Each structure stands twice: as structure tokens, then as C-alpha cells.
Amino acid sequence: MTERAAPDRPRPEEAAELSVEDAEDALLEGDRTFAPGTARAALAYPTFRTVYIGSLLSNIGSWMQNVVLGAFALDLTGSSTYVSWIAFAQLGPLLLFSLAGGALADIIDRKRLLVMVSWQQLLFSLVLAWLARGNEPSLSGLVLVTFVIGVGQAIYAPTYSALLPLLVRRRDLPGAVSLNSASMNLSRVVGPAIGALVYARVGASWVFVGNAVTYLFIIGALQLVKLPPATPRAAGEPTGLRRIGEGIQVARRDRVVGRCLATMALFSFFCLPFVVHIQRLAADSFGIAPRSGAFGVLYACFGLGAVMGALSIGTFLAGRSLEVIVRIGLGGFAVSLCAFGLLRDPAPAYPVALIVGFCYFATVTSLSTVLQNRLDDRVRGRVMALWIMAFGGTVPIGGLIAGPIIDATSVTVVVLVGVATAALLVPFANLRDPASITNSLHRST
């Protein structure tokens, strides 16, 4: 039976984090009061609920386009090199432009900025659909338009991440971050399934049109709600390029913030290349053809595990020490990924893939929540830009480097490098605040 927590009014220091109207609505929902920090508690906030649903539907469209675009590129050229360029055009902007996007998120009204970049991505998705309609579309044009859409995502991602904590009270942030992570992974499962079906029946161009339409969900959701105002810039706060670098300064000054970002960057770069090359792993290790229903089930098991891992932080693991969960998750990831890389029988690969996905996103969601709890809203956008770079921007680089290594040796070598890195990150990912440890020692003496 779920423990019920009596609602309490926001503390004065939380007033800037949540609009008064949203707090009142959440507190006056009658009997629907839930344990703090859970996913159900986060969904009790009407503004968060509206924005979350709009974002989920939009993300499904994005993953329809992302997956079909790679398959379309391969069908057009038969070249893995061209597919790599398309993949870099999709994700590379997260590495190149997220810092600028984070700086914009801290100086421009976040609702207006999110709506603007959503319209930008909608329009260029239609341009992509127009390019893809012919028998011989411009290959350079496809890369260029995909890159422009990626630039919009590099601005959207840190802005949305900075907005999320303002939609719920701080005590319910773990549930909100858990739901957001689950949304990312659920869209990775649902989007490709819908996209593949549409691609097979009516072609890639209509998939891209469908993605354009889904941007209307997040645009409409944002227009329906009243969001908390941005924190005004303090006197003497840096501007221009110095403002962009302020996020790096925060990471250098705050040990916990820096350790969260470093852990995520190392994890993404060394441990996640297997995701980029999972088709090769399936073929070489399990004899599963990439263009088969068996591979779809294998990838779905990994995605379902990731959804479960993300939701765990806002459900049965709610209230547990996130710092401890990060280290346990890294250890579990190392063990399960080792099994996944050494298996040669396809039958046990499916449940092991689910466990890998669970440990992966339980770790990532916990890291993200610890980070969000440490940040002041004045610099949240700039620091979350670093998170987006660490989480998404380093993965395509790691994947590109892993490609020649796989060709020269095997995919198992790349997997085992990830296993060793995850194991080494267990002692490294000590996220306890040194100040709180010192205070605890003083109290005990």
C-alpha cells in the first residue's frame, strides 16, 4: 500500500521554484496526495502533467524520424559512412551548441524559447520531407537539413531540462526526473515501431511529415500553461562568452556537480558505444540479423529495461539515497553488460538486455536528479547544457571511434572496455557532499 503524505505549503525558499497557481492546484486535488518524490506526486501538478504529455508525444515523433532517417540513408546509398554522417548531423549539435543553448535558456523566457525552437524543428522537418520525396534526393541537402534540426534540439534540450525543476516542488523532483527519463526511453520504443510501419507502407517523406505534426503537441502544451518567470540576472553577473563559460565554472567550484558531469561523460563515451553498434553485436554474437523481428524484440527489451530503470527512481526506489543508487547501478551495469557481451546464445540475451537497460537508466536518472538538486536556477540552463553534452553529445564520438576498433578486432572488445570503465566509475562516482559529511562528523562529536 502506498504511503500517503499530507500536503504542506511551499516553504519560502521554494516559492521561486513553482508558480503559486500550480502549487495551489496540486495541493487542492482532494484525496490524491502521494508520497513525496514519486512519479504520481509529480503528475499531481497540472502544469507539469500538461507539458510532460506534450513532450512525450513530440519525442515519439522525433524518434520516428531519427530511426527512419538512418534506414533511409542506408537504402539510398548502401554506405555506412554516409549513415555515420547522418547520425553525427543528428547528435553532433548537442556537443557543439548545447553550451550556447544553455546560456540562452538563462537569459530568454524559457517558454518563448521552447516554442521558437519547436517551430524551427517543425519547419525543417517539412523541408526534410520535401527533400526526401524524390527518387534521387540531395545527399548533402539531407545532411545539412538534419544538422539544422539538430541545432534546434541542442537549444531545446538544455532549456527543457532547466524548466523541469520549476514545474514541481523540490521534494517531488525525483519523480519528475524519473518520468522525464521514462518518456525519453518510451519514445525510443514506440517511435521507431510507428516509424518503421509508416516507412514500409508510404515512404520516408511521410514519416518526416508525421514528426513535424507531433511538434504541435509540445507547442500547444506550452501555450496552454503559465510557467514560472525566469530568475532575473543579478547585478555583476557575467555576459556574453563569459556567461557561456559560467556553467563550467560552477562545475569546477562544486565538487558534486563536477563529479556528476564527469561520471556521465566518461560513462557515455566509453560504456555506450555498444548502443551505436548494437546491430553488429546482435549479428556477430547472437546470429540475429539487424533486419529481423528478433532484433526488434532485442532492442525493445533494452528499451523496456531503460523505461523500467527510469521509472524505478520515482516508484519503488523513491526516497532511497540516489548517491548510493548511482554506484549500485554502475556496478550492476558492468556485470550485466559483461554477460551481454560474452553471451553467444540468443535466448538469454533478451532478459540480459532488459537488465542492462534497467541499470543504465536507473544510473542516469539518479545522476540527473542529484545534479538538478544541486543547481541554482540562475545557472541551471548553462549547467544542464553541460549535462546534455555529456549525456548525448559524446555518444556519437565514442561510436565513431569504436567503429574502426570493431572492424580491426571485434565488438566484444568495445563492450569489455565499457565493462571495465563502468567498474572503475563505481568508486569514482562518490557524490556525497563533503560539507554535509563534515557537518555530520561535527554533530557526532
Side-chain angles (χ1 to χ4, degrees):
M1 184 174 179
T2 303
E3 179 184 356
R4 295 164 62 90
D8 55 321
R9 297 271 173 187
R11 299 190 304 273
E13 61 268 26
E14 292 179 330
E17 298 174 6
L18 184 66
S19 67
V20 173
E21 293 84 356
D22 229 14
E24 294 294 334
D25 288 343
L27 295 173
L28 296 177
E29 293 236 346
D31 291 334
R32 289 187 291 172
T33 55
F34 308 109
T38 63
R40 297 177 72 187
L43 287 172
Y45 296 84
T47 295
F48 173 82
R49 189 167 60 240
T50 300
V51 174
Y52 173 76
I53 293 172
S55 176
L56 172 61
L57 295 173
S58 179
N59 285 339
I60 289 173
S62 295
W63 278 101
M64 286 169 49
Q65 179 166 294
N66 289 344
V67 172
V68 168
L69 187 55
F72 180 58
L74 187 62
D75 287 343
L76 279 177
T77 65
S79 168
S80 296
T81 301
Y82 183 69
V83 174
S84 297
W85 277 110
I86 287 289
F88 184 80
Q90 288 175 314
L91 297 175
L94 293 176
L95 185 64
L96 299 174
F97 300 109
S98 287
L99 274 178
L104 289 174
D106 286 336
I107 60 176
I108 297 178
D109 179 76
R110 288 168 185 163
K111 175 177 175 177
R112 186 184 310 165
L113 184 59
L114 288 171
V115 170
M116 286 172 55
V117 295
S118 295
W119 276 115
Q120 180 260 357
Q121 292 176 91
L122 184 158
L123 293 173
F124 277 93
S125 292
L126 291 176
V127 173
L128 191 66
W130 182 79
L131 284 174
R133 78 196 191 288
N135 293 326
E136 296 183 359
S138 167
L139 300 183
S140 58
L142 290 174
V143 172
L144 180 61
V145 174
T146 301
F147 185 81
V148 173
I149 295 171
V151 172
Q153 184 61 23
I155 297 172
Y156 179 95
T159 305
Y160 183 79
S161 296
L163 177 68
L164 188 68
L166 305 183
L167 304 183
V168 299
R169 298 172 62 192
R170 185 171 292 273
R171 71 175 190 173
D172 294 320
L173 183 58
V177 175
S178 169
L179 283 167
N180 189 52
S181 295
S183 168
M184 292 168 55
N185 287 286
L186 183 61
S187 61
R188 289 186 183 192
V189 175
V190 176
I194 297 174
L197 180 64
V198 176
Y199 181 34
R201 294 197 174 185
V202 295
S205 183
W206 285 106
V207 175
F208 306 151
V209 170
N211 176 48
V213 171
T214 64
Y215 284 110
L216 295 175
F217 288 113
I218 186 61
I219 292 171
L222 290 167
Q223 298 289 12
L224 285 173
V225 299
K226 180 179 180 181
L227 300 180
T231 304
R233 186 168 66 89
E237 195 172 340
T239 58
L241 293 177
R242 289 181 59 198
R243 186 176 184 86
I244 293 177
E246 182 68 12
I248 299 174
Q249 294 300 318
V250 171
R252 292 178 62 183
R253 291 193 300 264
D254 189 313
R255 175 192 172 279
V256 175
V257 170
R259 194 63 63 94
C260 284
L261 293 171
T263 299
M264 191 68 252
L266 292 168
F267 183 77
S268 294
F269 186 82
F270 289 104
C271 301
L272 298 185
F274 86 94
V275 179
V276 178
H277 298 283
I278 194 168
Q279 296 94 337
R280 179 73 175 268
L281 189 153
D284 292 357
S285 297
F286 313 131
I288 297 175
R291 294 187 178 183
S292 68
F295 175 74
V297 174
L298 182 70
Y299 193 85
C301 285
F302 175 73
L304 178 61
V307 172
M308 294 168 61
L311 285 175
S312 70
I313 306 305
T315 52
F316 66 90
L317 293 179
R320 305 294 179 89
S321 170
L322 296 174
E323 293 82 1
V324 173
I325 293 174
V326 167
R327 302 175 84 173
I328 294 175
L330 286 168
F333 179 86
V335 172
S336 57
L337 182 62
C338 184
F340 194 59
L342 296 178
L343 279 173
R344 294 297 180 265
D345 183 353
Y350 298 101
V352 173
L354 188 142
I355 296 170
V356 172
F358 181 92
C359 294
Y360 167 31
F361 248 80
T363 301
V364 170
T365 304
S366 299
L367 271 173
S368 178
T369 308
V370 172
L371 178 64
Q372 289 273 28
N373 275 324
R374 296 286 297 185
L375 298 179
D376 185 278
D377 188 48
R378 296 182 189 278
V379 296
R380 189 179 300 279
R382 282 160 284 176
V383 178
M384 290 311 296
L386 295 174
W387 171 263
I388 296 299
M389 293 171 66
F391 176 58
T394 57
V395 173
I397 306 300
L400 286 173
I401 294 173
I405 296 174
I406 292 172
D407 290 336
T409 58
S410 71
V411 69
T412 304
V413 171
V414 170
V415 171
L416 292 179
V417 169
V419 169
T421 303
L424 291 172
L425 285 174
V426 173
F428 176 80
N430 181 4
L431 305 178
R432 293 191 65 187
D433 187 351
S436 64
I437 296 173
T438 303
N439 292 337
S440 178
L441 290 173
H442 285 322
R443 285 195 297 268
S444 66
T445 57

